[in-house]
């Protein structure tokens, strides 16, 4: 392997010494002296879908009182392709109250998150998730994460077969270690006499970094396939799935002020048939396992492996590992990366209703009993639910005879209120108070900022037009801000970098327009730009295209240009 002579990152040693992700997690869970776990186990629990956090709103106050931070854990449950059954929804709803902070978070990768789980409840929560035929292993960590799949298209046999591919990739790339069952599900305990565990795909040190896969059905690009390490773009001819274009090397995460880090869009590698998909996925993962940079986690994502070696090198590697080359890619066109809201009918006569969920947070508030409403829906719903990659929820496959009942429940709870197109397109990551890496607010702030943008749009007579605004509390890019028409990326409390120029189909990176600005300045810039768009924009011209045509930002050819301000 080409990693052998590198000075390894500390995490590599932790993985190596962990006995396939066991570490001392089991013992730590029994340690009642502290609400936290050891730093090494903190790294390892990520592979089990668990992040140690503390309430950042209370950090200073607790330090003043000489108390340890108020530790709790975030647990992420994988939901491949975002499909979940009503019984599972009811169980998730119950778990949120029983074990966590009462809210459910739908993530930008079609998974569920619970926040505020205390150490003593971790095991019961993971066990409860598994009882519902979901799991948390590989929801985080240096492995392939929850596999995404287009949620949008009206249900058809094509969607079913594409979804089956996403599920198969997910199963194929799930770590095999028995540690998960031992620690969380009281599975048979490993003893030193046992034959060693093994990981046929990953090996003992797993991947150099997280790895993300998405499957998409054009023309929708709701999963933002080009932001992924590995993508499968379904090619459909005469209502038949003929195969997939394979894309590699996308990713969003960057570090402020470090020009060696940048977002990248994935490039197309070739075309594979449905029966080649698992071999492609496995071998791409193995290329990254063997050639990813284990000496520098900031340079360890597959996007850098692809960028450093070039796409032809990746092609050669894949061909030599598979024994056959991929075919030439097929032409593809994406039209949109948002969701389709409201009622839409499926080919079989059943219905889907897509609900806008503010930043994916499902909870009850004084003005919107959202969690109650969805519980009431789940109690009568005979289809399923789909979590979208835009943090929204589809009540899917509603039999025609149940449509009025579901509508009545939604109406009764105030969920049919209209939202502006801009709000429906918006996304914010979690950020404060739970995210340890947040530099600024996102989820708790974006809704208010959108209200101000709505006022600007109304003032300029363009209230009905949608602008895709995505906000993150730091440059890690969890709400994929670098492909938004307007990206706001946290720099410090109350201050953001403003990026402009993404395309509303997820196929173009944006570029830095203004750095480290506060709310007044954000509003001032958007006021001027939206005013120009209303006056000088061509009919149907997206805002992202307009700002480029006007020269406010440039078309970015390579991710390295994203942070270069176009003066
Ligand atoms: Fe993320 C780390 C939340 C999607 C890039 N992300 C984190 C952590 C776990 C913070 C940490 O490491 O301590 C955040 C937990 C916050 C909390 O309190 O819940 C976090 N990421 C999220 C979620 C929940 C955002 C959301 O609002 O939905 C998303 C969970 C997805 C899931 O279900 O698996 C989430 N994260 C993403 C995405 C979007 C995507 O994958 O489509 C990205 C950008 C794409 C990419 O990976 O390049 C993303 N998250 C990161 C990074 C930067 C990775 C990098 O390459 O540099 C980090 C930090 C890291 O890994 O070191 C990070
Ligand atoms: Fe946290 Fe940054 Fe991700 Fe937001 S983008 S959830 S602040 S890591």
């Amino acid at each position: 392997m080409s990693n052998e002579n590198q000075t390894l990152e500390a995490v590599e040693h932790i993985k190596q010494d962990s006995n396939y992700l066991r570490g001392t997690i089991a013992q730590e869970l029994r340690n009642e002296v502290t609400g936290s776990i050891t730093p090494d186990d903190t790294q390892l629990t990520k592979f089990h879908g668990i992040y140690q956090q503390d309430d950042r709103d209370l950090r200073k106050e607790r330090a003043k009182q000489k108390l340890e931070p108020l530790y709790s854990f975030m647990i992420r449950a994988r939901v491949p392709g975002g499909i979940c059954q009503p019984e599972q929804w009811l169980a998730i709803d119950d778990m949120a109250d029983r074990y966590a902070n009462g809210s459910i978070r739908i993530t930008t990768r079609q998974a569920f998150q619970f926040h505020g789980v205390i150490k003593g409840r971790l095991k019961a929560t993971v066990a409860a998730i598994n009882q519902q035929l979901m799991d948390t292993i590989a929801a985080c960590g240096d492995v392939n994460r929850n596999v995404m799949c287009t949620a949008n298209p009206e249900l058809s046999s094509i969607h079913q077969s594409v979804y089956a591919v996403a599920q198969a990739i997910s199963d194929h790339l799930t770590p095999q270690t028995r540690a998960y069952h031992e620690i969380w599900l009281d599975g048979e305990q490993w003893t030193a006499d046992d034959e060693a565990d093994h990981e046929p795909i990953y090996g003992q040190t797993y991947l150099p970094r997280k790895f993300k896969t998405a499957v998409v059905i054009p023309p929708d690009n709701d999963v933002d396939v080009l932001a992924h390490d590995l993508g499968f773009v379904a090619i459909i001819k005469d209502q038949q799935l003929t195969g997939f274009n394979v894309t590699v090397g996308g990713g969003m995460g960057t570090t402020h002020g470090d020009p060696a880090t940048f977002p990248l869009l994935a490039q197309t590698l070739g075309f594979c048939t449905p029966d080649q998909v698992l071999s492609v996925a496995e071998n791409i993962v193995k290329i990254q396992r063997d050639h990813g940079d284990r000496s520098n986690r900031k340079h360890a994502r597959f996007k850098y492996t692809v960028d450093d070696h070039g796409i032809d090198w990746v092609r050669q590697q894949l061909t030599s590992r598979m024994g056959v080359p991929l075919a030439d890619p097929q032409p593809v066109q994406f039209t949109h990366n948002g969701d389709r809201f409201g009622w839409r009918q499926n080919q079989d006569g059943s219905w889907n209703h897509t609900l806008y969920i503010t930043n994916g947070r499902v909870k009850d508030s004084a003005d919107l009993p959202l969690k109650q409403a969805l519980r009431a829906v789940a109690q009568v719903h005979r289809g399923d639910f789909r979590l979208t990659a835009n943090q929204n929820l589809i009540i899917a496959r509603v039999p025609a005879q149940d449509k009025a009942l579901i509508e009545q429940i939604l109406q009764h709870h105030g969920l049919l209120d209209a939202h502006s197109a801009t709000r429906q397109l918006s996304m914010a990551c979690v950020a404060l108070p739970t995210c340890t890496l947040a530099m600024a607010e996102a989820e708790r702030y974006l809704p208010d900022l959108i209200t101000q943008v709505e006022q600007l749009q109304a003032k300029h007579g363009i209230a009905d037009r949608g602008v895709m605004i995505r906000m993150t509390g730091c440059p890690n890019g969890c709400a994929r801000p670098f492909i938004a028409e307007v990206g706001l990326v946290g720099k410090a409390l109350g201050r953001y970098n403003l990026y402009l120029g993404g395309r509303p189909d997820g196929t173009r990176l944006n570029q830095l327009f203004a750095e480290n600005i506060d709310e007044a300045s954000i509003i001032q810039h958007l006021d001027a730009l939206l005013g120009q768009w209303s006056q000088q924009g061509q009919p149907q011209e997206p805002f992202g295209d307009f700002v480029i045509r006007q020269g406010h930002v440039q078309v970015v050819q390579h991710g390295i240009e994203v942070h270069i301000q176009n003066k």
Side-chain angles (χ1 to χ4, degrees), residues 77-80 83-85 87-89 91-92 95 112 114 126-137 180 185 387:
R78 287 194 307 172
V79 189
I83 300 187
C84 114
Q85 304 305 318
E87 313 77 66
Q88 291 175 314
W89 184 276
I92 292 282
M95 282 179 231
F112 286 121
F114 296 110
V126 175
I129 291 170
N130 277 266
Q131 261 168 21
Q132 295 306 320
L133 304 180
M134 287 183 268
D135 60 26
T136 65
I137 187 164
Y180 183 77
L185 308 174
L387 318 183

PDB file of all heavy atoms in Angstrom, residues 77-80 83-85 87-89 91-92 95 112 114 126-137 180 185 387:
ATOM      1  N   ALA A  77     -28.881   7.764  12.909  1.00  0.00           N
ATOM      2  CA  ALA A  77     -29.377   6.465  12.418  1.00  0.00           C
ATOM      3  C   ALA A  77     -29.381   6.479  10.896  1.00  0.00           C
ATOM      4  O   ALA A  77     -29.898   7.421  10.284  1.00  0.00           O
ATOM      5  CB  ALA A  77     -30.786   6.216  12.939  1.00  0.00           C
ATOM      6  N   ARG A  78     -28.816   5.449  10.313  1.00  0.00           N
ATOM      7  CA  ARG A  78     -28.783   5.380   8.843  1.00  0.00           C
ATOM      8  C   ARG A  78     -30.165   5.008   8.298  1.00  0.00           C
ATOM      9  O   ARG A  78     -30.838   4.129   8.825  1.00  0.00           O
ATOM     10  CB  ARG A  78     -27.812   4.288   8.389  1.00  0.00           C
ATOM     11  CG  ARG A  78     -26.379   4.632   8.570  1.00  0.00           C
ATOM     12  CD  ARG A  78     -25.506   3.689   7.801  1.00  0.00           C
ATOM     13  NE  ARG A  78     -25.780   2.288   8.097  1.00  0.00           N
ATOM     14  CZ  ARG A  78     -25.241   1.275   7.421  1.00  0.00           C
ATOM     15  NH1 ARG A  78     -24.441   1.511   6.405  1.00  0.00           N
ATOM     16  NH2 ARG A  78     -25.495   0.028   7.757  1.00  0.00           N
ATOM     17  N   VAL A  79     -30.530   5.654   7.210  1.00  0.00           N
ATOM     18  CA  VAL A  79     -31.784   5.318   6.539  1.00  0.00           C
ATOM     19  C   VAL A  79     -31.460   5.286   5.041  1.00  0.00           C
ATOM     20  O   VAL A  79     -31.653   6.289   4.336  1.00  0.00           O
ATOM     21  CB  VAL A  79     -32.879   6.381   6.828  1.00  0.00           C
ATOM     22  CG1 VAL A  79     -34.230   5.923   6.310  1.00  0.00           C
ATOM     23  CG2 VAL A  79     -32.955   6.721   8.306  1.00  0.00           C
ATOM     24  N   PRO A  80     -30.945   4.181   4.518  1.00  0.00           N
ATOM     25  CA  PRO A  80     -30.519   4.187   3.109  1.00  0.00           C
ATOM     26  C   PRO A  80     -31.646   4.645   2.185  1.00  0.00           C
ATOM     27  O   PRO A  80     -32.779   4.196   2.320  1.00  0.00           O
ATOM     28  CB  PRO A  80     -30.153   2.715   2.848  1.00  0.00           C
ATOM     29  CG  PRO A  80     -29.841   2.158   4.194  1.00  0.00           C
ATOM     30  CD  PRO A  80     -30.730   2.882   5.161  1.00  0.00           C
ATOM     31  N   ILE A  83     -35.814   5.990   3.044  1.00  0.00           N
ATOM     32  CA  ILE A  83     -37.164   5.413   3.142  1.00  0.00           C
ATOM     33  C   ILE A  83     -37.385   4.816   4.528  1.00  0.00           C
ATOM     34  O   ILE A  83     -36.592   4.018   5.011  1.00  0.00           O
ATOM     35  CB  ILE A  83     -37.392   4.326   2.067  1.00  0.00           C
ATOM     36  CG1 ILE A  83     -37.240   4.941   0.675  1.00  0.00           C
ATOM     37  CG2 ILE A  83     -38.755   3.671   2.250  1.00  0.00           C
ATOM     38  CD1 ILE A  83     -37.605   4.032  -0.473  1.00  0.00           C
ATOM     39  N   CYS A  84     -38.501   5.215   5.148  1.00  0.00           N
ATOM     40  CA  CYS A  84     -38.803   4.677   6.471  1.00  0.00           C
ATOM     41  C   CYS A  84     -40.303   4.417   6.577  1.00  0.00           C
ATOM     42  O   CYS A  84     -41.117   5.116   5.968  1.00  0.00           O
ATOM     43  CB  CYS A  84     -38.252   5.625   7.529  1.00  0.00           C
ATOM     44  SG  CYS A  84     -39.369   6.468   8.576  1.00  0.00           S
ATOM     45  N   GLN A  85     -40.653   3.381   7.310  1.00  0.00           N
ATOM     46  CA  GLN A  85     -42.058   2.961   7.426  1.00  0.00           C
ATOM     47  C   GLN A  85     -42.738   3.724   8.572  1.00  0.00           C
ATOM     48  O   GLN A  85     -42.061   4.161   9.511  1.00  0.00           O
ATOM     49  CB  GLN A  85     -42.126   1.448   7.697  1.00  0.00           C
ATOM     50  CG  GLN A  85     -41.425   0.591   6.660  1.00  0.00           C
ATOM     51  CD  GLN A  85     -41.916   0.868   5.242  1.00  0.00           C
ATOM     52  OE1 GLN A  85     -43.118   1.016   5.012  1.00  0.00           O
ATOM     53  NE2 GLN A  85     -40.991   0.990   4.303  1.00  0.00           N
ATOM     54  N   GLU A  87     -44.373   2.693  11.131  1.00  0.00           N
ATOM     55  CA  GLU A  87     -44.080   2.138  12.466  1.00  0.00           C
ATOM     56  C   GLU A  87     -42.702   2.618  12.919  1.00  0.00           C
ATOM     57  O   GLU A  87     -42.479   2.881  14.103  1.00  0.00           O
ATOM     58  CB  GLU A  87     -44.050   0.601  12.480  1.00  0.00           C
ATOM     59  CG  GLU A  87     -45.213  -0.106  11.789  1.00  0.00           C
ATOM     60  CD  GLU A  87     -45.090  -0.093  10.280  1.00  0.00           C
ATOM     61  OE1 GLU A  87     -44.149  -0.724   9.766  1.00  0.00           O
ATOM     62  OE2 GLU A  87     -45.927   0.560   9.612  1.00  0.00           O
ATOM     63  N   GLN A  88     -41.768   2.709  11.964  1.00  0.00           N
ATOM     64  CA  GLN A  88     -40.437   3.193  12.330  1.00  0.00           C
ATOM     65  C   GLN A  88     -40.517   4.661  12.748  1.00  0.00           C
ATOM     66  O   GLN A  88     -39.870   5.084  13.700  1.00  0.00           O
ATOM     67  CB  GLN A  88     -39.473   3.022  11.159  1.00  0.00           C
ATOM     68  CG  GLN A  88     -39.158   1.557  10.852  1.00  0.00           C
ATOM     69  CD  GLN A  88     -38.292   1.394   9.607  1.00  0.00           C
ATOM     70  OE1 GLN A  88     -38.545   2.017   8.580  1.00  0.00           O
ATOM     71  NE2 GLN A  88     -37.285   0.544   9.686  1.00  0.00           N
ATOM     72  N   TRP A  89     -41.325   5.432  12.006  1.00  0.00           N
ATOM     73  CA  TRP A  89     -41.467   6.846  12.368  1.00  0.00           C
ATOM     74  C   TRP A  89     -41.987   6.984  13.798  1.00  0.00           C
ATOM     75  O   TRP A  89     -41.481   7.784  14.596  1.00  0.00           O
ATOM     76  CB  TRP A  89     -42.406   7.577  11.390  1.00  0.00           C
ATOM     77  CG  TRP A  89     -42.445   9.030  11.750  1.00  0.00           C
ATOM     78  CD1 TRP A  89     -43.239   9.625  12.702  1.00  0.00           C
ATOM     79  CD2 TRP A  89     -41.599  10.063  11.242  1.00  0.00           C
ATOM     80  NE1 TRP A  89     -42.936  10.968  12.808  1.00  0.00           N
ATOM     81  CE2 TRP A  89     -41.939  11.260  11.920  1.00  0.00           C
ATOM     82  CE3 TRP A  89     -40.583  10.090  10.272  1.00  0.00           C
ATOM     83  CZ2 TRP A  89     -41.300  12.463  11.651  1.00  0.00           C
ATOM     84  CZ3 TRP A  89     -39.956  11.307  10.006  1.00  0.00           C
ATOM     85  CH2 TRP A  89     -40.316  12.475  10.694  1.00  0.00           C
ATOM     86  N   ALA A  91     -41.733   4.920  16.215  1.00  0.00           N
ATOM     87  CA  ALA A  91     -40.705   4.525  17.173  1.00  0.00           C
ATOM     88  C   ALA A  91     -39.656   5.632  17.319  1.00  0.00           C
ATOM     89  O   ALA A  91     -39.211   5.957  18.435  1.00  0.00           O
ATOM     90  CB  ALA A  91     -40.055   3.229  16.721  1.00  0.00           C
ATOM     91  N   ILE A  92     -39.254   6.230  16.199  1.00  0.00           N
ATOM     92  CA  ILE A  92     -38.270   7.329  16.244  1.00  0.00           C
ATOM     93  C   ILE A  92     -38.831   8.494  17.066  1.00  0.00           C
ATOM     94  O   ILE A  92     -38.144   9.097  17.897  1.00  0.00           O
ATOM     95  CB  ILE A  92     -37.933   7.790  14.791  1.00  0.00           C
ATOM     96  CG1 ILE A  92     -37.165   6.708  14.039  1.00  0.00           C
ATOM     97  CG2 ILE A  92     -37.219   9.125  14.757  1.00  0.00           C
ATOM     98  CD1 ILE A  92     -35.699   6.601  14.385  1.00  0.00           C
ATOM     99  N   MET A  95     -38.612   7.556  20.656  1.00  0.00           N
ATOM    100  CA  MET A  95     -37.229   7.568  21.154  1.00  0.00           C
ATOM    101  C   MET A  95     -36.753   8.995  21.413  1.00  0.00           C
ATOM    102  O   MET A  95     -35.991   9.242  22.345  1.00  0.00           O
ATOM    103  CB  MET A  95     -36.291   6.935  20.116  1.00  0.00           C
ATOM    104  CG  MET A  95     -36.323   5.431  20.075  1.00  0.00           C
ATOM    105  SD  MET A  95     -35.178   4.909  18.759  1.00  0.00           S
ATOM    106  CE  MET A  95     -36.205   3.826  17.852  1.00  0.00           C
ATOM    107  N   PHE A 112     -31.615  10.165  10.237  1.00  0.00           N
ATOM    108  CA  PHE A 112     -32.185  10.769  11.442  1.00  0.00           C
ATOM    109  C   PHE A 112     -31.066  11.069  12.426  1.00  0.00           C
ATOM    110  O   PHE A 112     -30.124  10.282  12.549  1.00  0.00           O
ATOM    111  CB  PHE A 112     -33.099   9.780  12.168  1.00  0.00           C
ATOM    112  CG  PHE A 112     -34.419   9.543  11.513  1.00  0.00           C
ATOM    113  CD1 PHE A 112     -34.777   8.261  11.124  1.00  0.00           C
ATOM    114  CD2 PHE A 112     -35.319  10.574  11.307  1.00  0.00           C
ATOM    115  CE1 PHE A 112     -36.007   8.014  10.535  1.00  0.00           C
ATOM    116  CE2 PHE A 112     -36.556  10.336  10.718  1.00  0.00           C
ATOM    117  CZ  PHE A 112     -36.902   9.049  10.334  1.00  0.00           C
ATOM    118  N   PHE A 114     -30.552  12.134  16.644  1.00  0.00           N
ATOM    119  CA  PHE A 114     -31.058  12.498  17.968  1.00  0.00           C
ATOM    120  C   PHE A 114     -29.974  13.319  18.634  1.00  0.00           C
ATOM    121  O   PHE A 114     -28.794  12.963  18.563  1.00  0.00           O
ATOM    122  CB  PHE A 114     -31.277  11.250  18.828  1.00  0.00           C
ATOM    123  CG  PHE A 114     -32.326  10.322  18.297  1.00  0.00           C
ATOM    124  CD1 PHE A 114     -31.962   9.095  17.766  1.00  0.00           C
ATOM    125  CD2 PHE A 114     -33.668  10.665  18.336  1.00  0.00           C
ATOM    126  CE1 PHE A 114     -32.922   8.228  17.277  1.00  0.00           C
ATOM    127  CE2 PHE A 114     -34.630   9.799  17.844  1.00  0.00           C
ATOM    128  CZ  PHE A 114     -34.256   8.582  17.310  1.00  0.00           C
ATOM    129  N   VAL A 126     -29.385   3.002  21.092  1.00  0.00           N
ATOM    130  CA  VAL A 126     -28.902   2.260  19.916  1.00  0.00           C
ATOM    131  C   VAL A 126     -29.681   0.939  19.778  1.00  0.00           C
ATOM    132  O   VAL A 126     -30.077   0.545  18.672  1.00  0.00           O
ATOM    133  CB  VAL A 126     -27.384   1.993  20.018  1.00  0.00           C
ATOM    134  CG1 VAL A 126     -26.904   1.121  18.878  1.00  0.00           C
ATOM    135  CG2 VAL A 126     -26.619   3.320  20.016  1.00  0.00           C
ATOM    136  N   ALA A 127     -29.940   0.294  20.903  1.00  0.00           N
ATOM    137  CA  ALA A 127     -30.698  -0.968  20.845  1.00  0.00           C
ATOM    138  C   ALA A 127     -32.105  -0.705  20.304  1.00  0.00           C
ATOM    139  O   ALA A 127     -32.611  -1.461  19.460  1.00  0.00           O
ATOM    140  CB  ALA A 127     -30.763  -1.595  22.233  1.00  0.00           C
ATOM    141  N   ALA A 128     -32.722   0.384  20.748  1.00  0.00           N
ATOM    142  CA  ALA A 128     -34.086   0.691  20.286  1.00  0.00           C
ATOM    143  C   ALA A 128     -34.094   0.983  18.788  1.00  0.00           C
ATOM    144  O   ALA A 128     -35.006   0.569  18.062  1.00  0.00           O
ATOM    145  CB  ALA A 128     -34.637   1.888  21.063  1.00  0.00           C
ATOM    146  N   ILE A 129     -33.053   1.652  18.301  1.00  0.00           N
ATOM    147  CA  ILE A 129     -32.972   1.939  16.862  1.00  0.00           C
ATOM    148  C   ILE A 129     -32.865   0.619  16.096  1.00  0.00           C
ATOM    149  O   ILE A 129     -33.549   0.398  15.092  1.00  0.00           O
ATOM    150  CB  ILE A 129     -31.768   2.865  16.565  1.00  0.00           C
ATOM    151  CG1 ILE A 129     -32.040   4.260  17.132  1.00  0.00           C
ATOM    152  CG2 ILE A 129     -31.490   2.945  15.064  1.00  0.00           C
ATOM    153  CD1 ILE A 129     -30.836   5.196  17.127  1.00  0.00           C
ATOM    154  N   ASN A 130     -32.045  -0.281  16.597  1.00  0.00           N
ATOM    155  CA  ASN A 130     -31.868  -1.574  15.917  1.00  0.00           C
ATOM    156  C   ASN A 130     -33.138  -2.423  15.955  1.00  0.00           C
ATOM    157  O   ASN A 130     -33.420  -3.157  15.023  1.00  0.00           O
ATOM    158  CB  ASN A 130     -30.680  -2.325  16.519  1.00  0.00           C
ATOM    159  CG  ASN A 130     -29.376  -1.858  15.899  1.00  0.00           C
ATOM    160  OD1 ASN A 130     -28.895  -2.444  14.939  1.00  0.00           O
ATOM    161  ND2 ASN A 130     -28.842  -0.751  16.398  1.00  0.00           N
ATOM    162  N   GLN A 131     -33.892  -2.291  17.033  1.00  0.00           N
ATOM    163  CA  GLN A 131     -35.159  -3.035  17.094  1.00  0.00           C
ATOM    164  C   GLN A 131     -36.084  -2.619  15.962  1.00  0.00           C
ATOM    165  O   GLN A 131     -36.953  -3.362  15.540  1.00  0.00           O
ATOM    166  CB  GLN A 131     -35.865  -2.748  18.408  1.00  0.00           C
ATOM    167  CG  GLN A 131     -35.653  -3.836  19.451  1.00  0.00           C
ATOM    168  CD  GLN A 131     -36.116  -3.365  20.811  1.00  0.00           C
ATOM    169  OE1 GLN A 131     -36.918  -2.431  20.915  1.00  0.00           O
ATOM    170  NE2 GLN A 131     -35.583  -3.983  21.848  1.00  0.00           N
ATOM    171  N   GLN A 132     -35.900  -1.409  15.475  1.00  0.00           N
ATOM    172  CA  GLN A 132     -36.732  -0.906  14.381  1.00  0.00           C
ATOM    173  C   GLN A 132     -36.117  -1.202  13.020  1.00  0.00           C
ATOM    174  O   GLN A 132     -36.453  -0.576  12.012  1.00  0.00           O
ATOM    175  CB  GLN A 132     -36.939   0.602  14.524  1.00  0.00           C
ATOM    176  CG  GLN A 132     -37.733   0.972  15.748  1.00  0.00           C
ATOM    177  CD  GLN A 132     -39.058   0.246  15.804  1.00  0.00           C
ATOM    178  OE1 GLN A 132     -39.726   0.083  14.786  1.00  0.00           O
ATOM    179  NE2 GLN A 132     -39.434  -0.202  16.984  1.00  0.00           N
ATOM    180  N   LEU A 133     -35.175  -2.133  12.972  1.00  0.00           N
ATOM    181  CA  LEU A 133     -34.518  -2.543  11.731  1.00  0.00           C
ATOM    182  C   LEU A 133     -33.767  -1.392  11.078  1.00  0.00           C
ATOM    183  O   LEU A 133     -33.691  -1.288   9.857  1.00  0.00           O
ATOM    184  CB  LEU A 133     -35.521  -3.165  10.744  1.00  0.00           C
ATOM    185  CG  LEU A 133     -36.309  -4.352  11.288  1.00  0.00           C
ATOM    186  CD1 LEU A 133     -37.260  -4.892  10.221  1.00  0.00           C
ATOM    187  CD2 LEU A 133     -35.373  -5.465  11.761  1.00  0.00           C
ATOM    188  N   MET A 134     -33.288  -0.484  11.920  1.00  0.00           N
ATOM    189  CA  MET A 134     -32.361   0.548  11.438  1.00  0.00           C
ATOM    190  C   MET A 134     -31.080   0.349  12.233  1.00  0.00           C
ATOM    191  O   MET A 134     -31.077  -0.353  13.236  1.00  0.00           O
ATOM    192  CB  MET A 134     -32.914   1.945  11.695  1.00  0.00           C
ATOM    193  CG  MET A 134     -34.050   2.310  10.771  1.00  0.00           C
ATOM    194  SD  MET A 134     -34.594   3.990  11.061  1.00  0.00           S
ATOM    195  CE  MET A 134     -35.860   3.721  12.232  1.00  0.00           C
ATOM    196  N   ASP A 135     -29.999   0.991  11.793  1.00  0.00           N
ATOM    197  CA  ASP A 135     -28.787   0.887  12.597  1.00  0.00           C
ATOM    198  C   ASP A 135     -28.039   2.209  12.582  1.00  0.00           C
ATOM    199  O   ASP A 135     -28.431   3.156  11.892  1.00  0.00           O
ATOM    200  CB  ASP A 135     -27.895  -0.267  12.125  1.00  0.00           C
ATOM    201  CG  ASP A 135     -27.456  -0.110  10.685  1.00  0.00           C
ATOM    202  OD1 ASP A 135     -27.391   1.035  10.199  1.00  0.00           O
ATOM    203  OD2 ASP A 135     -27.171  -1.131  10.035  1.00  0.00           O
ATOM    204  N   THR A 136     -26.985   2.252  13.382  1.00  0.00           N
ATOM    205  CA  THR A 136     -26.214   3.488  13.478  1.00  0.00           C
ATOM    206  C   THR A 136     -24.771   3.266  13.039  1.00  0.00           C
ATOM    207  O   THR A 136     -24.018   4.223  12.896  1.00  0.00           O
ATOM    208  CB  THR A 136     -26.214   4.028  14.925  1.00  0.00           C
ATOM    209  OG1 THR A 136     -25.529   3.093  15.767  1.00  0.00           O
ATOM    210  CG2 THR A 136     -27.617   4.213  15.451  1.00  0.00           C
ATOM    211  N   ILE A 137     -24.395   1.992  12.831  1.00  0.00           N
ATOM    212  CA  ILE A 137     -23.011   1.732  12.437  1.00  0.00           C
ATOM    213  C   ILE A 137     -22.756   2.398  11.085  1.00  0.00           C
ATOM    214  O   ILE A 137     -23.633   2.417  10.213  1.00  0.00           O
ATOM    215  CB  ILE A 137     -22.682   0.222  12.377  1.00  0.00           C
ATOM    216  CG1 ILE A 137     -21.179   0.061  12.123  1.00  0.00           C
ATOM    217  CG2 ILE A 137     -23.507  -0.535  11.333  1.00  0.00           C
ATOM    218  CD1 ILE A 137     -20.619  -1.303  12.414  1.00  0.00           C
ATOM    219  N   TYR A 180     -19.892  -3.904  16.917  1.00  0.00           N
ATOM    220  CA  TYR A 180     -21.160  -3.160  17.048  1.00  0.00           C
ATOM    221  C   TYR A 180     -22.177  -3.995  17.828  1.00  0.00           C
ATOM    222  O   TYR A 180     -22.799  -3.516  18.782  1.00  0.00           O
ATOM    223  CB  TYR A 180     -21.665  -2.803  15.641  1.00  0.00           C
ATOM    224  CG  TYR A 180     -22.922  -1.970  15.624  1.00  0.00           C
ATOM    225  CD1 TYR A 180     -22.880  -0.610  15.900  1.00  0.00           C
ATOM    226  CD2 TYR A 180     -24.155  -2.536  15.328  1.00  0.00           C
ATOM    227  CE1 TYR A 180     -24.027   0.166  15.890  1.00  0.00           C
ATOM    228  CE2 TYR A 180     -25.306  -1.776  15.305  1.00  0.00           C
ATOM    229  CZ  TYR A 180     -25.238  -0.422  15.582  1.00  0.00           C
ATOM    230  OH  TYR A 180     -26.384   0.344  15.565  1.00  0.00           O
ATOM    231  N   LEU A 185     -25.600  -4.349  21.385  1.00  0.00           N
ATOM    232  CA  LEU A 185     -26.753  -5.246  21.306  1.00  0.00           C
ATOM    233  C   LEU A 185     -26.534  -6.520  22.115  1.00  0.00           C
ATOM    234  O   LEU A 185     -27.192  -7.527  21.891  1.00  0.00           O
ATOM    235  CB  LEU A 185     -27.041  -5.582  19.832  1.00  0.00           C
ATOM    236  CG  LEU A 185     -27.170  -4.347  18.914  1.00  0.00           C
ATOM    237  CD1 LEU A 185     -27.296  -4.754  17.468  1.00  0.00           C
ATOM    238  CD2 LEU A 185     -28.366  -3.500  19.333  1.00  0.00           C
ATOM    239  N   LEU A 387     -37.245  10.638   3.666  1.00  0.00           N
ATOM    240  CA  LEU A 387     -36.474  11.804   4.107  1.00  0.00           C
ATOM    241  C   LEU A 387     -35.756  12.321   2.875  1.00  0.00           C
ATOM    242  O   LEU A 387     -35.135  11.532   2.154  1.00  0.00           O
ATOM    243  CB  LEU A 387     -35.447  11.405   5.158  1.00  0.00           C
ATOM    244  CG  LEU A 387     -35.887  10.424   6.251  1.00  0.00           C
ATOM    245  CD1 LEU A 387     -34.745  10.203   7.240  1.00  0.00           C
ATOM    246  CD2 LEU A 387     -37.116  10.927   6.967  1.00  0.00           C
TER     247      LEU A 387
END
